[in-house]
Amino acid sequence: MLTERVKEIYQEIEQFEVATKEQLEQYRQRFVGRKGAVEALFEGLKDIPKEARRAVGQELNALKNFATDRFTAIQAEFESNDGGNAGPAIDLTLPVASNQLGSIHPLTLARAKIIEIFERMGFSVADGPEIESDWYNFTALNFPENHPAREMQDTFFVAKNAEDPTQDMLLRTHTSNVQIRMMERQKPPIRAIMPGRVYRNEAISARAHCFFHQVEGLYIDKNVSFKDLKDTLYHFSKEMFDKDVKIRLRPSFFPFTEPSAEIDIWLGTDTEETYRLSKGTGWVEIAGSGMVDPNVLANCGIDPEEYTGFAFGMGVERIAQLRYGVRDLRLYSENDVRFLRQFEGV
């Protein structure tokens, strides 16, 4: 009975004359609308035996598409014919809207400048996933399970793997995961920087956030020395801040580098701003660095007896803070137009 009704509606659709917009609206109500003849047939599906319901449903869908396609084609034809007589698409009596141009975000500006400087030094740009496994984020970087150094990079775990903790999935805490992936698939020499967003489980304040942006760098080759690291970061500091900038290397600890050093630049204590940023010392940290630990090279299949290398990492927010005088980290992600408009001329 339902199949016969489908054939009847096919004939009605084909024979329905549509010469005006009023008739098109009648067609829509009769066949395409929610209370039309086609939709009414779907209500009868529940009375169809289960074994035949699939086939009948396909017939009804084909009928619905047939009715809709004819409606769409006729509607498009009417609109096309009316196009030559249509009035202006806008009201020409309205006052002209001011052309408000946007500005580039300060983090984007700082990131672009960092990339530009290192590209001139021969570094390529690499990228990787933000959702990463424990192996690439911790274990391969010489962070053993339950190592105290993991406390400094508490993160957000996405999925746990009870059988193999190295396959726990998490939000990366640094872009070092890209370094591991590069060393696994590429033979030295390697010279690249890795910009990207990273995450840590920290309370949000003016000085800390649960997400921020990093640019890390890696150089692996034969006879790479600590002097190469120092010269590279000194040249970067001169290009980013000032030709007469002073830097110092302060001994530190990172599980994935040995020896390791924090990189500070001299701001002085002449003004209230520089005194506050440097906490009264005149120096402010801009990066962490060091020679790649032999264990990390071995984990990636690189012979530490043949190759050496250095790595470094810096926060883009910190660089932008020093370049543009931004005091509160939260401003970068609150999308306050008043804050963003300050960078229109940068």
Side-chain angles (χ1 to χ4, degrees):
M1 188 68 177
L2 189 59
T3 303
E4 294 177 0
R5 181 60 181 147
V6 168
K7 294 178 181 179
E8 293 176 1
I9 294 179
Y10 265 115
Q11 293 177 356
E12 292 179 19
I13 292 173
E14 292 173 347
Q15 296 171 2
F16 196 99
E17 182 179 352
V18 181
T20 64
K21 290 186 177 181
E22 290 74 16
Q23 290 176 331
L24 180 62
E25 176 61 19
Q26 294 172 7
Y27 175 94
R28 186 192 68 80
Q29 296 178 3
R30 177 76 178 90
F31 301 110
V32 182
R34 292 186 177 181
K35 297 182 180 180
V38 178
E39 286 294 332
L41 293 180
F42 280 91
E43 298 179 2
L45 266 180
K46 62 180 181 295
D47 300 325
I48 301 296
K50 187 175 181 180
E51 59 274 9
R53 195 174 298 165
R54 180 183 179 87
V56 175
Q58 291 176 345
E59 288 186 25
L60 294 181
N61 284 328
L63 174 63
K64 183 177 181 180
N65 292 336
F66 178 75
T68 303
D69 290 345
R70 186 175 183 223
F71 173 80
T72 304
I74 298 174
Q75 185 182 47
E77 184 178 352
F78 281 146
E79 292 176 354
S80 176
N81 292 336
D82 291 344
N85 301 321
I90 58 174
D91 185 351
L92 299 179
T93 64
L94 292 174
V96 177
S98 59
N99 186 15
Q100 295 183 352
L101 297 177
S103 58
I104 301 177
H105 195 281
L107 293 182
T108 304
L109 290 168
R111 180 179 181 271
K113 182 64 176 178
I114 294 170
I115 292 174
E116 176 192 344
I117 294 171
F118 281 107
E119 281 184 334
R120 290 204 302 266
M121 288 192 280
F123 285 77
S124 61
V125 179
D127 195 10
E130 294 183 11
I131 300 178
E132 189 57 277
S133 70
D134 181 282
W135 168 259
Y136 288 105
N137 195 81
F138 288 126
T139 308
L141 285 157
N142 213 30
F143 284 87
E145 188 178 2
N146 299 321
H147 192 282
R150 293 196 181 207
E151 296 287 337
M152 298 184 295
Q153 297 193 20
D154 187 21
T155 185
F156 303 94
F157 283 83
V158 177
K160 303 286 284 185
N161 189 317
E163 297 180 358
D164 185 3
T166 64
Q167 297 307 309
D168 290 348
M169 300 304 295
L170 49 88
L171 298 182
R172 67 182 181 184
T173 60
H174 43 202
T175 59
S176 301
N177 65 314
V178 187
Q179 297 184 23
I180 299 299
R181 290 179 175 275
M182 286 195 72
M183 288 189 285
E184 281 186 343
R185 67 173 184 264
Q186 180 179 335
K187 293 183 178 180
I190 301 171
R191 183 160 51 183
I193 57 173
M194 302 84 185
R197 182 165 49 192
V198 299
Y199 307 83
R200 295 187 187 175
N201 187 13
E202 296 186 8
I204 298 175
S205 67
R207 301 177 61 88
H209 212 293
C210 61
F211 75 89
F212 54 99
H213 299 78
Q214 272 191 342
V215 175
E216 295 198 9
L218 177 69
Y219 181 30
I220 304 291
D221 204 349
K222 296 180 180 180
N223 302 318
V224 176
S225 67
F226 199 91
K227 181 181 184 302
D228 298 320
L229 167 63
K230 179 181 178 181
D231 290 345
T232 299
L233 293 176
Y234 182 45
H235 178 77
F236 164 78
S237 299
K238 290 194 298 181
E239 292 292 311
M240 177 59 73
F241 300 109
D242 186 82
K243 295 294 183 184
D244 299 323
V245 69
K246 296 178 182 179
I247 73 167
R248 74 174 182 183
L249 280 71
R250 184 165 38 87
S252 186
F253 166 78
F254 303 108
F256 35 84
T257 54
E258 181 61 36
S260 304
E262 304 279 4
I263 309 299
D264 301 334
I265 64 170
W266 174 255
L267 292 183
T269 56
D270 299 336
T271 67
E272 179 183 352
E273 179 72 10
T274 57
Y275 188 91
R276 183 188 63 83
L277 282 175
S278 65
K279 298 180 180 179
T281 67
W283 294 95
V284 62
E285 177 190 333
I286 64 167
S289 64
M291 301 300 293
V292 178
D293 193 289
N295 289 338
V296 175
L297 295 176
N299 287 339
C300 299
I302 296 177
D303 186 358
E305 298 295 329
E306 183 178 4
Y307 294 99
T308 56
F310 64 73
F312 58 85
M314 64 188 70
V316 180
E317 280 83 351
R318 172 58 60 86
I319 301 299
Q321 178 187 31
L322 295 174
R323 281 180 67 85
Y324 307 124
V326 179
R327 294 190 175 190
D328 193 329
L329 272 177
R330 293 169 292 191
L331 291 171
Y332 291 124
S333 56
E334 289 179 346
N335 294 323
D336 190 324
V337 175
R338 295 169 298 176
F339 168 71
L340 298 176
R341 280 177 179 163
Q342 299 178 65
F343 301 92
E344 290 177 348
V346 177

